Amino acid sequence: MIKRARVKTLKINRIDVSGKSGQTILQVARDAGIYIPTLCELDGLTDVGACRMCLVEVVGQRKLISACTFKIKEGMEVFTDSEKLQKYRKQILSMMFAERNHTCSVCVSNGHCELQAMAKKVGMNYVEFPYVFPHFDLDATHRRFISDPNRCILCTRCVRVCDEIEGAHTWDRMGRGIETTVITDFAEKWGDSETCTSCGKCVQVCPTGALSEKGVSVAEMAKQKEFLPYLKSNRDKK
Amino acid sequence: MKRLATIWLDGCSGCHMSLLDTDEKIVDIAKQVDVVFSPYVDTKEFPENVDIALVEGSVSSEEDLEKIKKIRKNTKMLISFGDCAITGNISAMRNLYGAEATVRRCYVEYDNATPPTEEIPALLERVLPIHEVVDVDFHIQGCPPPADAIAYALTELIADRIPNLDEITRFGK
């Protein structure tokens, strides 16, 4: 039986666009060449709206909504780059920087970091909230990898790739709000994890220097994310 | 002629090294400004009526605190110069442990010496980026900011224009 895609038309930034029923605002915007900033979203993983960078205004909605999780509707009007959104994105990004210790100059991911690049994209030249300076110890117990919570933005890409692609579900979140951390197994040392297959997918999808390979120095940790859409498309064919 | 001041608080002087790295461009800049205060000149007191002040480093001690307030009072355009000034950066890494632990580590644990109580300014409990203490008018990112970014930024600021550094520097550059 042929599945018929239902087409929906909507306006993004006053431009007429159309998408298939079930697509998100982000997908339709990308197809139309309209840029919406994202950090937690990654092609091949379920979208969760964790980072809030993709917040957009939808006419008739009182709250701002995340473009990566909100499905398109017929006749909807979306604004992706208003002054209000630009201001909020800077604030959201400022909070990510303020909540942890992202010391870019001495980070393994310096120059390859999506968080650092995002600061440029949204024009965040300084952090407008007081820095929290929390104290996190890094976990270097794994044979090949290091977890440094000081650089984590809680995007949960590691959690999702481990669960959805590798099928191990070693990673998960613990705690709430600013206290949240990502953990391995039951908040045990990564090196002691019985579920971790040491595949390294979490390291490669991590947008910052929070997860890295051992043996790399400052600015050497370039991530390879290409495997993910490749794996996903091959699996979708089955 | 614009009155330019440069100063470092809790920094490594790397940003000032990068300023010198502007090579021959520094000659053009020097022709357009009167350098009224700097580690490179011999004035001891931060002067009044400064047009542009490049402030490297973060606010880490009682002395830094006094200095930055005076700089703000006497300066039209205060520039956070480099990552330590803007984010705390390396200087602020001690915030994970606190001032007392830092002093103990440096003096007692490493050298079995008594931490000084005179002559050296007392550390603030927390290292702060400049904009958490006083208003900042412009930020030049980088650790250190590349020489080209500094030369371009200064040239523009001297001409009363706000430079766009998006393409030439960033945090950690």
Side-chain angles (χ1 to χ4, degrees):
Chain A
M1 198 176 77
I2 299 165
K3 266 194 187 170
R4 267 199 206 143
R6 287 205 319 192
V7 174
K8 294 190 173 178
T9 56
L10 59 149
K11 279 186 201 299
I12 303 181
N13 301 342
R14 298 200 173 86
I15 300 165
D16 287 310
V17 294
S18 58
K20 282 184 283 189
S21 177
Q23 278 193 301
T24 62
I25 296 172
L26 180 67
Q27 287 167 335
V28 174
R30 278 190 183 160
D31 289 346
I34 298 165
Y35 173 71
I36 299 174
T38 56
L39 272 177
C40 68
E41 183 273 344
L42 192 63
D43 187 19
L45 300 180
T46 308
D47 293 315
V48 289
C51 74
R52 316 314 287 170
M53 288 308 295
C54 71
L55 286 180
V56 292
E57 290 182 81
V58 173
V59 174
Q61 292 271 339
R62 277 166 53 212
K63 289 180 184 172
L64 300 175
I65 55 167
S66 53
C68 72
T69 55
F70 204 85
K71 302 270 196 311
I72 54 165
K73 286 177 184 163
E74 181 64 35
M76 81 193 305
E77 276 191 73
V78 182
F79 291 93
T80 67
D81 203 28
S82 63
E83 262 181 45
K84 179 177 162 184
L85 288 170
Q86 288 173 14
K87 187 181 117 192
Y88 283 168
R89 284 185 188 132
K90 279 186 202 177
Q91 289 183 343
I92 291 162
L93 204 61
S94 280
M95 285 187 228
M96 287 185 210
F97 274 97
E99 280 178 14
R100 299 289 169 109
N101 307 301
H102 296 280
T103 314
C104 296
S105 57
V106 289
C107 178
V108 286
S109 285
N110 187 10
H112 310 289
C113 172
E114 292 180 47
L115 182 71
Q116 192 181 37
M118 188 55 70
K120 276 286 142 195
K121 278 186 194 150
V122 305
M124 193 213 77
N125 292 322
Y126 70 99
V127 169
E128 59 184 280
F129 301 109
Y131 283 89
V132 176
F133 294 117
H135 188 155
F136 288 102
D137 289 321
L138 57 79
D139 180 351
T141 56
H142 192 282
R143 188 170 49 85
R144 289 170 51 204
F145 310 123
I146 295 175
S147 164
D148 184 355
N150 292 295
R151 307 188 188 285
C152 176
I153 58 167
L154 300 171
C155 69
T156 70
R157 281 185 189 175
C158 54
V159 177
R160 285 175 282 153
V161 81
C162 189
D163 177 38
E164 296 170 12
I165 306 296
E166 180 61 9
H169 203 133
T170 301
W171 290 102
D172 214 321
R173 286 174 302 169
M174 183 174 79
R176 294 187 68 78
I178 201 169
E179 308 284 325
T180 310
T181 50
V182 289
I183 53 166
T184 44
D185 289 350
F186 295 107
E188 291 152 284
K189 292 287 179 205
W190 195 358
D192 297 337
S193 170
E194 290 179 9
T195 59
C196 176
T197 63
S198 302
C199 72
K201 290 186 178 70
C202 53
V203 174
Q204 300 305 330
V205 299
C206 174
T208 70
L211 300 180
S212 62
E213 290 165 356
K214 278 189 177 172
V216 296
S217 185
V218 170
E220 290 180 352
M221 188 66 239
K223 308 284 177 85
Q224 312 294 331
K225 301 187 178 77
E226 299 77 16
F227 74 92
L228 188 54
Y230 170 76
L231 273 184
K232 186 73 169 38
S233 70
N234 278 344
R235 287 184 189 185
D236 287 349
K237 281 177 197 158
K238 285 185 182 167
Chain B
M1 194 178 261
K2 288 267 193 308
R3 287 162 61 83
L4 174 74
T6 84
I7 185 169
W8 72 70
L9 305 176
D10 190 5
C12 70
S13 83
C15 300
H16 273 76
M17 294 295 154
S18 199
L19 172 63
L20 293 180
D21 253 353
T22 49
D23 298 335
E24 76 280 2
K25 285 176 196 157
I26 205 166
V27 179
D28 295 332
I29 292 165
K31 282 179 190 159
Q32 300 174 63
V33 292
D34 186 5
V35 183
V36 291
F37 185 90
S38 175
Y40 308 130
V41 299
D42 202 26
T43 318
K44 298 285 184 268
E45 279 294 307
F46 195 88
E48 294 186 352
N49 299 319
V50 172
D51 292 305
I52 301 167
L54 290 180
V55 186
E56 172 187 341
S58 43
V59 180
S60 301
S61 67
E62 299 287 351
E63 187 190 24
D64 293 340
L65 204 54
E66 276 175 38
K67 280 180 178 168
I68 196 65
K69 284 177 183 164
K70 186 167 187 182
I71 294 165
R72 178 68 278 182
K73 192 160 81 62
N74 293 2
T75 305
K76 285 200 194 84
M77 187 125 201
L78 195 162
I79 317 290
S80 272
F81 181 34
D83 280 0
C84 288
I86 303 172
T87 74
N89 199 26
I90 310 292
S91 311
M93 288 175 90
R94 76 159 159 90
N95 287 357
L96 274 57
Y97 306 92
E100 199 207 320
T102 307
V103 170
R104 196 174 56 238
R105 179 79 158 191
C106 293
Y107 284 91
V108 185
E109 291 172 25
Y110 279 154
D111 212 20
N112 209 15
T114 314
T117 51
E118 290 173 12
E119 292 178 347
I120 291 177
L123 295 184
L124 300 178
E125 179 54 30
R126 276 199 158 189
V127 176
L128 298 167
I130 293 172
H131 70 266
E132 285 192 31
V133 184
V134 296
D135 288 338
V136 170
D137 301 302
F138 191 73
H139 302 81
I140 304 177
Q141 300 165 340
C143 182
D148 285 349
I150 299 170
Y152 173 67
L154 273 179
T155 309
E156 293 294 289
L157 290 166
I158 290 165
D160 291 320
R161 292 187 294 260
I162 298 296
N164 180 349
L165 305 179
D166 283 355
E167 301 296 321
I168 41 181
T169 190
R170 56 164 164 74
F171 292 129
K173 183 83 175 181

